[in-house]
Amino acid sequence: MATAREDAKTQELNLIFKSLGERGKEGDVWKEFTEHTLCYLLQQTPEFINKAFANESIDVMFRLYGSAAEDLKSQATDDIGDLDIVIIPKSEDLFIHDEMIEYLPQHPLHVRIKGRDHPLLQSCLVEDKPYVANSAIKNFHPAIYGTSAPHMINNLTRSIQIGSRENWGQVVAEWKNKEDGPALQVNGSQSFGPVSGQMKRMNNPQNLVNCDPAEWDWLAKFLTNANGFEYSREHAEILGEFMTFANDIQMSLHERGLLGQPQALPGFVQELISSERVKQLRERVVTIQQSSHNQNESELSGEHLAEAEQHSNDQSVTPGSCHGNETGSKKDKVLQEAFLSTSESFLTPKNSCDSHNTAQNLGTTLSQSTMGELSESPYQSAQHTMPRKVSETGVNEKKEQGQNEDGTDESGSESINTAKPPFAEKGEPSYSDFKSVSGEKNILLEHIFGPFSQESKAPWKETDVKDSKKATIAGGADLVPALRCPGWPRVSEDWIKRKRKWPSPDVINKVVQEGFHLVVKPPKDGGNPKCDFRISFSHAEYLLSQAMNDIQRECYRCLKKFHRAFLKDPKGLVTFHLKNLLLQTIEETGAELWIESNRVECVMKLFGNLSQALTKKELPHFFVRSYNLFSEDYIDDPEILDALAKKVEKIMENPMQSAKQLIQKEASAVQAPLEEKSILSNGLAVKTASKADGFDSHMVLPGTLKKDDTRPVSSSSRQSYRFHDLKDIYLASSQELTAMAFNADDLTIESLDPLKRSLVGDLKEMIKTLNLNAAEFRRMFEANWSAIYWKVSLNPEPNMSLRMLDAIQGVVETWKYLLKQDDFAPENAEALAERLLNPDPDADPFDLTNLLPAGIGTQFVTRFFNSLTPSSADETKEVNLDKDIPLD
């Protein structure tokens, strides 16, 4: 009878452990999402970036490791866990071979990389040492990860910092970059309910992603300019056809019942990239850009001839010739040429193949800066390298930039050039040179996106939750820069040959052949924090997880749930300990034990081994047995292990009672009122961003939504216009003002409204100073459109005439600023551009709001996210330029 009761109890406990270890409905959805969507996106992202930005490169691979990739994720109702995304160089030239590795005897899992003789690593060495600086890896040195990698990380940082204070739906995120940790952490939470519910809603044709070309014109312009070409009407027409095609694909997926499925995204992206229709559109883009390039080359040849002829004419004029008034006319001619040349050289897109014009392209630069591309490279000197003034002899006054003539800064440190990495140079730059995610002060970026915190985590803002019945779900991602190592580490050679019951020899051979990684993680005590790396066996763990069966996975998920409920306090025991325990237990018992009927025995075996390890205060690393995972690198106070051992013993004494308590805790978490839950499950304090934090959390353009207005700016709440329609209106408005400046009498001008009267007066003064004609004014206004578009596009002013007057006023104020500069000349365009974009508050600062209103970058990023938010198809409104635009 007693045996029967024990059997019934075991069967009941077996069912409970089974329920705790199964993925569940949401877990199944996440597994499909990981396999079909996330892994695909990680694999394709570098290719997407390289195709989008022809002038940049990112030479990396993204690999998903950890519980999500291994199908060992144990989801809670309020926590979906973290994703471990390892970022490694793609080139085999950056493999770290064994002869380059120096093992640390006192720290078995830590090494140093000898890079003095490596052509790609010579620019990444610690000062006066032959070792690679781990800061170069942590901060994505372009010599290792490609020229775009630092920008990519900077942009990601900025976006998360912006998102932490802006209302992007019901998602909150933060960024953490701990100097003592290998990963760049993104923690976040969402309150839109279970993922399965989201998938179901996505399958509704009324919830399609907004593919209105008017909402994507700005992004197409940015990508076109970033590749060195003007965004033409032909480009805009192709964008319209592409967006129509995207809508057709979405409807096709819906008709096949795939729109809300995880595997839909790869198919959707493949259609957008590889279909015959898209290939035809891409060929048209190439044709347009090739034609533009040929035209530019032809114009340049003509310019060279004209310059030579002008030079010859100038030489023929002698002091004794009869040109008594030539001095005054020459001055006017120089001013005209300088004004036009300055505008056209750095206010209009420049073909990337044009090596003749070396001036900074301000129009393209401003396009890039809207997406954070203008962030100062972490590998450049902290001082700007563009000249502030140019002397008569043409020598840059480097002293004003804090630089000596030999290229060093005042402290004697050498700058690092991202375009041509100094592979032959040695010595480690200062840490600030490597700080790609530090949020260093940059006047332009702070103007575009708002001030950024110097702290490791961004300020937070509580989101408005519209449906209090939906629980907040936390999650995150760890971005881990790493280096690949072929072969197997010497400190783990005994793992290959030791006696075991699991895994098979074939699996062992595969693990050894595919190698390991090195990540930035110095030992807590001893070593050198600047150049010590830690051996990572994440890839080996992934391969071993593929050899596990379902029962092993379920028992491990069950163990993780017990850990989350009972063993997280006192803090010290982490899931990495549990994974090592699982691998050692399976190796010891063999796969035969892990079957359905032995589920309880397997879980209790795991608890037994955990109890023994906690009691002995010793848990050997699965791959390096000489390393104790309960050492000070993981456990600050060994005494907490005793407290944890007692908790495990209590669970083992009555596993049924503990399991039922666990189930009750999970049920309570689902029913807990949302307002009593923290935004993040890790207990981070949440504060509301405000001006007291150094910025206004609702940086808006003049006339936009008030600070207390939480309505999102999207296609359904604002009227959108195409890029070239706005340009036509802008040019027509500027032409009208120019005509008044040339032809209107004083009485007519006096009758104008104050803004028009002021602009006409400024134009008349420039006509008097520069002796410009109407055609030259038109050329200058047209040259400025590339920069001023951003201001016009986001201005919510419904009266188009007022909107354009505001834009023209910004252009005129920019011209007035240029005219005041002592070094105003065509050859100084680069210095002038630098002065505009990074104004010196102590010396005649330029008001950036003339071109870019404060917070414009934030609004464009927010607009991008809003465009991805599904919206009803009937919300798209067709704009009638004849009826909908009040020009008066």
Side-chain angles (χ1 to χ4, degrees):
M1 191 70 172
T3 303
R5 283 198 299 271
E6 285 297 320
D7 289 343
K9 185 178 179 180
T10 300
Q11 290 178 10
E12 182 182 2
L13 189 58
N14 189 76
L15 291 173
I16 292 176
F17 286 166
K18 180 180 177 67
S19 66
L20 292 173
E22 289 181 330
R23 294 191 207 93
K25 180 180 178 181
E26 291 302 305
D28 289 341
V29 172
W30 268 104
K31 182 176 184 295
E32 287 190 40
F33 174 80
T34 299
E35 292 177 351
H36 296 289
T37 302
L38 186 58
C39 290
Y40 172 80
L41 289 176
L42 291 176
Q43 181 182 355
Q44 297 295 324
T45 295
E47 183 180 350
F48 293 159
I49 294 175
N50 290 332
K51 284 184 177 179
F53 304 101
N55 299 330
E56 300 282 346
S57 67
I58 178 168
D59 302 321
V60 302
M61 295 188 297
F62 296 93
R63 292 292 179 264
L64 183 65
Y65 290 114
S67 59
E70 298 163 355
D71 192 19
L72 296 174
K73 182 182 285 291
S74 176
Q75 289 187 205
T77 53
D78 62 344
D79 189 352
I80 60 174
D82 295 332
L83 300 171
D84 298 322
I85 302 172
V86 175
I87 308 174
I88 51 181
K90 188 175 182 180
S91 173
E92 293 185 3
D93 292 336
L94 286 161
F95 278 2
I96 307 301
H97 296 276
D98 189 67
E99 61 269 18
M100 299 173 61
I101 297 175
E102 182 177 301
Y103 295 88
L104 306 184
Q106 302 301 320
H107 305 281
L109 284 180
H110 293 88
V111 303
R112 292 171 189 168
I113 302 172
K114 294 178 285 187
R116 178 170 291 169
D117 298 326
H118 195 290
L120 297 177
L121 298 177
Q122 288 175 352
S123 61
C124 308
L125 304 184
V126 176
E127 184 178 4
D128 298 327
K129 295 185 182 296
Y131 306 118
V132 174
N134 52 32
S135 57
I137 311 304
K138 182 71 173 288
N139 294 287
F140 299 92
H141 196 294
I144 300 173
Y145 293 95
T147 56
S148 289
H151 296 305
M152 180 189 70
I153 296 300
N154 263 323
N155 294 342
L156 177 60
T157 308
R158 304 300 187 189
S159 297
I160 294 172
Q161 287 173 319
I162 295 167
S164 69
R165 68 186 184 225
E166 301 298 323
N167 187 2
W168 287 352
Q170 294 173 303
V171 178
V172 180
E174 72 150 6
W175 176 274
K176 296 172 70 178
N177 183 21
K178 295 182 179 179
E179 291 185 17
D180 60 346
L184 310 173
Q185 297 176 310
V186 182
N187 296 324
S189 66
Q190 55 88 0
S191 53
F192 46 70
V195 178
S196 58
Q198 278 293 101
M199 294 290 188
K200 186 176 180 180
R201 284 190 290 275
M202 286 173 60
N203 206 28
N204 186 337
Q206 295 300 310
N207 294 330
L208 301 179
V209 172
N210 181 10
C211 290
D212 178 9
E215 288 293 331
W216 291 78
D217 249 335
W218 66 273
L219 182 58
K221 168 184 161 46
F222 161 69
L223 293 175
T224 305
N225 289 165
N227 285 304
F229 295 94
E230 182 181 359
Y231 183 58
S232 65
R233 293 183 185 275
E234 290 82 0
H235 285 109
E237 180 182 345
I238 293 171
L239 173 66
E241 295 181 31
F242 179 79
M243 288 303 183
T244 300
F245 181 60
N247 281 320
D248 292 342
I249 296 174
Q250 289 187 86
M251 288 305 299
S252 174
L253 289 171
H254 165 67
E255 292 170 358
R256 289 180 284 166
L258 298 175
L259 192 59
Q261 302 301 317
Q263 60 268 34
L265 181 60
F268 179 74
V269 173
Q270 283 296 327
E271 282 288 311
L272 287 180
I273 293 177
S274 304
S275 66
E276 283 300 319
R277 179 62 180 138
V278 172
K279 287 180 181 178
Q280 294 170 3
L281 295 176
R282 190 182 297 120
E283 288 172 359
R284 285 170 58 186
V285 171
V286 171
T287 301
I288 293 168
Q289 294 177 343
Q290 185 62 47
S291 174
S292 173
H293 170 57
N294 293 338
Q295 182 179 353
N296 287 342
E297 285 190 333
S298 176
E299 291 174 354
L300 282 173
S301 299
E303 288 175 8
H304 289 155
L305 292 174
E307 288 174 3
E309 182 178 352
Q310 179 65 40
H311 179 72
S312 176
N313 292 336
D314 290 343
Q315 293 296 323
S316 65
V317 178
T318 62
S321 60
C322 47
H323 294 285
N325 298 323
E326 189 66 13
T327 303
S329 61
K330 268 191 172 183
K331 182 178 179 182
D332 290 342
K333 182 72 172 175
V334 169
L335 284 173
Q336 292 176 31
E337 291 179 349
F339 212 74
L340 287 167
S341 176
T342 303
S343 294
E344 292 181 338
S345 65
F346 64 84
L347 289 175
T348 55
K350 170 173 67 78
N351 191 293
S352 59
C353 299
D354 176 9
S355 59
H356 171 71
N357 185 357
T358 58
Q360 177 68 35
N361 180 329
L362 180 61
T364 301
T365 301
L366 292 178
S367 305
Q368 295 173 336
S369 69
T370 307
M371 297 296 293
E373 286 291 317
L374 234 167
S375 58
E376 197 173 321
S377 170
Y379 308 103
Q380 291 175 334
S381 170
Q383 302 291 336
H384 299 301
T385 57
M386 289 185 179
R388 175 65 175 171
K389 293 282 186 181
V390 180
S391 67
E392 292 181 0
T393 60
V395 178
N396 296 344
E397 297 181 5
K398 295 181 179 178
K399 291 291 185 180
E400 294 189 19
Q401 302 304 316
Q403 286 190 331
N404 303 317
E405 290 186 5
D406 62 356
T408 61
D409 61 24
E410 292 178 347
S411 65
S413 299
E414 292 185 351
S415 301
I416 291 186
N417 186 340
T418 56
K420 295 181 180 179
F423 296 144
E425 296 177 5
K426 298 177 175 61
E428 182 194 23
S430 63
Y431 182 72
S432 63
D433 291 331
F434 282 119
K435 263 186 180 175
S436 61
V437 290
S438 65
E440 291 176 334
K441 185 175 179 62
N442 181 297
I443 296 175
L444 176 61
L445 283 175
E446 291 197 355
H447 179 82
I448 294 173
F449 294 113
F452 297 111
S453 170
Q454 295 288 343
E455 302 173 1
S456 61
K457 66 177 183 177
W460 277 60
K461 172 190 167 188
E462 291 183 357
T463 54
D464 299 323
V465 179
K466 299 178 181 179
D467 189 348
S468 61
K469 296 181 181 179
K470 296 176 181 176
T472 302
I473 303 174
D478 291 343
L479 307 179
V480 187
L483 296 172
R484 289 188 294 173
C485 304
W488 195 244
R490 277 182 262 160
V491 293
S492 185
E493 286 179 346
D494 67 317
W495 179 82
I496 303 174
K497 300 178 181 179
R498 73 179 180 223
K499 294 182 179 180
R500 55 167 59 88
K501 296 182 179 180
W502 180 91
S504 68
D506 289 342
V507 173
I508 295 171
N509 290 335
K510 184 177 178 63
V511 169
V512 171
Q513 289 172 5
E514 297 197 12
F516 58 102
H517 296 121
L518 297 178
V519 298
V520 180
K521 180 69 174 177
K524 280 189 177 180
D525 185 23
N528 188 330
K530 291 185 177 181
C531 57
D532 289 350
F533 291 80
R534 182 185 174 102
I535 298 173
S536 170
F537 293 94
S538 293
H539 188 70
E541 294 166 9
Y542 168 76
L543 294 176
L544 291 175
S545 72
Q546 306 308 298
M548 293 181 186
N549 62 36
D550 289 341
I551 303 301
Q552 290 163 343
R553 300 177 196 278
E554 290 175 4
C555 289
Y556 179 64
R557 296 193 200 104
C558 180
L559 179 65
K560 287 173 71 174
K561 287 195 174 181
F562 273 97
H563 169 260
R564 183 186 289 121
F566 302 111
L567 303 175
K568 293 194 75 171
D569 294 314
K571 189 176 181 180
L573 189 67
V574 296
T575 55
F576 183 64
H577 291 133
L578 302 182
K579 181 184 286 187
N580 273 265
L581 187 80
L582 173 70
L583 294 172
Q584 292 175 17
T585 304
I586 301 175
E587 183 183 66
E588 168 194 336
T589 60
E592 293 78 11
L593 176 69
W594 302 79
I595 59 177
E596 178 67 38
S597 59
N598 292 339
R599 185 188 299 272
V600 173
E601 181 182 352
C602 293
V603 173
M604 298 309 294
K605 179 68 174 175
L606 290 172
F607 277 122
N609 287 349
L610 177 58
S611 176
Q612 184 179 18
L614 291 169
T615 302
K616 290 184 176 181
K617 298 182 175 60
E618 183 177 353
L619 178 62
H621 192 286
F622 180 66
F623 294 102
V624 184
R625 300 301 290 266
S626 61
Y627 185 82
N628 181 15
L629 289 174
F630 286 159
S631 67
E632 59 187 9
D633 276 350
Y634 280 95
I635 307 296
D636 294 326
D637 182 8
E639 298 302 319
I640 67 173
L641 299 176
D642 294 328
L644 290 169
K646 291 179 180 179
K647 289 189 174 185
V648 173
E649 290 173 6
K650 187 175 180 180
I651 294 173
M652 295 178 66
E653 288 172 1
N654 195 339
M656 180 75 75
Q657 181 181 354
S658 299
K660 290 182 178 179
Q661 289 177 358
L662 170 56
I663 293 173
Q664 289 177 350
K665 282 189 175 185
E666 288 192 333
S668 299
V670 175
Q671 299 171 2
L674 186 60
E675 58 271 16
E676 295 179 5
K677 295 175 65 64
S678 169
I679 291 294
L680 281 184
S681 61
N682 61 6
L684 287 172
V686 178
K687 66 177 181 178
T688 302
S690 65
K691 288 186 178 180
D693 298 313
F695 58 84
D696 186 347
S697 61
H698 287 260
M699 296 176 298
V700 295
L701 304 180
T704 53
L705 303 179
K706 301 298 183 182
K707 183 173 180 178
D708 55 354
D709 194 336
T710 59
R711 292 176 298 161
V713 180
S714 64
S715 60
S716 59
S717 61
R718 68 185 304 278
Q719 197 166 357
S720 300
Y721 302 95
R722 296 302 303 271
F723 174 87
H724 291 94
D725 294 331
L726 289 173
K727 181 178 180 180
D728 289 343
I729 302 168
Y730 162 80
L731 291 178
S733 300
S734 62
Q735 191 171 1
E736 178 186 2
L737 290 174
T738 304
M740 289 183 183
F742 276 105
N743 304 316
D745 54 38
D746 293 341
L747 184 62
T748 302
I749 295 175
E750 192 63 30
S751 66
L752 299 174
D753 64 72
L755 179 55
K756 272 190 176 182
R757 185 167 63 247
S758 173
L759 290 173
V760 172
D762 288 335
L763 294 178
K764 286 178 72 69
E765 181 64 26
M766 276 184 269
I767 293 171
K768 179 180 178 182
T769 303
L770 301 177
N771 196 25
L772 296 171
N773 58 43
E776 289 167 328
F777 264 116
R778 178 180 176 86
R779 284 175 59 195
M780 292 192 304
F781 273 114
E782 188 166 2
N784 279 264
W785 170 247
S786 184
I788 209 68
Y789 161 70
W790 309 109
K791 187 176 183 179
V792 174
S793 177
L794 283 184
N795 193 332
E797 171 58 55
N799 187 304
M800 186 58 68
S801 178
L802 294 179
R803 190 192 298 195
M804 290 304 169
L805 287 175
D806 178 59
I808 293 169
Q809 183 184 35
V811 172
V812 172
E813 290 298 321
T814 305
W815 292 349
K816 289 164 65 177
Y817 175 84
L818 291 172
L819 286 172
K820 290 191 299 182
Q821 306 307 303
D822 295 336
D823 57 341
F824 178 57
E827 62 270 17
N828 296 338
E830 186 175 352
L832 293 171
E834 171 67 7
R835 206 167 307 157
L836 286 168
L837 298 176
N838 291 285
D840 184 353
D842 300 325
D844 191 20
F846 173 70
D847 186 359
L848 287 174
T849 57
N850 290 322
L851 293 176
L852 299 171
I856 193 169
T858 298
Q859 294 206 27
F860 265 110
V861 176
T862 303
R863 182 172 174 179
F864 173 74
F865 277 91
N866 285 333
S867 69
L868 298 177
T869 302
S871 57
S872 297
D874 58 3
E875 290 179 351
T876 304
K877 180 180 177 181
E878 184 176 352
V879 179
N880 187 322
L881 293 176
D882 296 329
K883 294 182 179 180
D884 297 337
I885 302 178
L887 292 175
D888 299 322

